[in-house]
Amino acid sequence: MLRIISALTVSVFLLSGCFETEVSAVHQITEGEAGAIRLNQLDLVNAVRAEAGVPPLTLSAELTAAAATHARDIAVQKRAWNFGSDRSAPQTRAERAGFNGLVTGEDVAETYMSNLEIFQVWVADPRSKQAMTDPTATHMGLGWFQEINGKLWWVMDIGASLSPLEVATAE
């Protein structure tokens, strides 16, 4: 009897390898979450800037577009670095996206971490933190590309706008 139970148990284990099992789902960032992620990153950077005694940054659509484009490009290159596949530099990509100013810093990462976790990595790096706290910087952009397996390619661009800031007035 013990042999029969043992044989059945082994058979069940062997057969279980023949059936497809459910794989835990990887969270894919949705378009609905994108704005909140960018604002969260901006708040984190501005908290570091406040601690350093420098004015806050404003989210830039142009720097965000440049960062998102570069994130997709480095994912294709399979290399988290500051050069585009066309050998472009951060300044060139920002100008192509319509940013009128100087890119003062660009951070890139290849990771499975959230924006909060990658922010912690960047703020711990002296060069990245220096870019975040540059007193001449006025704007920030955050982009990413996420692979199906969940891997994220993050790019954060920081720049100093040369355009005059528009101030809303009550009329």
Side-chain angles (χ1 to χ4, degrees):
M1 182 71 162
L2 185 56
R3 286 185 183 177
I4 293 173
I5 293 174
S6 297
L8 285 174
T9 303
V10 169
S11 297
V12 168
F13 282 120
L14 291 175
L15 286 175
S16 67
C18 297
F19 297 100
E20 191 173 316
T21 58
E22 185 178 323
V23 178
S24 63
V26 173
H27 176 73
Q28 294 290 321
I29 297 173
T30 66
E31 279 301 312
E33 297 169 309
I37 290 170
R38 287 187 178 98
L39 289 176
N40 176 254
Q41 189 81 2
L42 180 65
D43 288 344
L44 293 168
V45 170
N46 281 336
V48 171
R49 290 179 64 81
E51 188 178 283
V54 294
L57 301 177
T58 302
L59 197 59
S60 164
E62 294 83 8
L63 288 177
T64 294
T69 299
H70 188 54
R72 181 176 294 277
D73 187 36
I74 61 176
V76 169
Q77 294 182 63
K78 299 290 184 208
R79 183 175 185 179
W81 68 333
N82 300 103
F83 298 97
S85 56
D86 62 354
R87 301 195 187 278
S88 61
Q91 183 66 42
T92 304
R93 292 188 299 276
E95 289 170 1
R96 286 179 191 160
F99 184 70
N100 181 25
L102 179 66
V103 173
T104 58
E106 181 178 73
D107 292 320
V108 297
E110 169 191 1
T111 183
Y112 289 91
M113 294 188 280
S114 70
N115 75 295
L116 175 61
E117 293 165 313
I118 199 59
F119 168 79
Q120 292 169 336
V121 170
W122 285 339
V123 81
D125 178 70
R127 286 176 44 173
S128 295
K129 188 173 182 180
Q130 181 181 10
M132 285 183 210
T133 58
D134 183 333
T136 66
T138 58
H139 289 81
M140 184 199 90
L142 180 70
W144 61 86
F145 177 78
Q146 188 171 24
E147 295 179 2
I148 293 171
N149 66 2
K151 182 188 286 187
L152 287 154
W153 299 82
W154 293 101
V155 177
M156 182 173 66
D157 285 332
I158 296 175
S161 176
L162 298 177
S163 299
L165 296 176
E166 292 184 21
V167 178
T169 58
E171 292 183 18

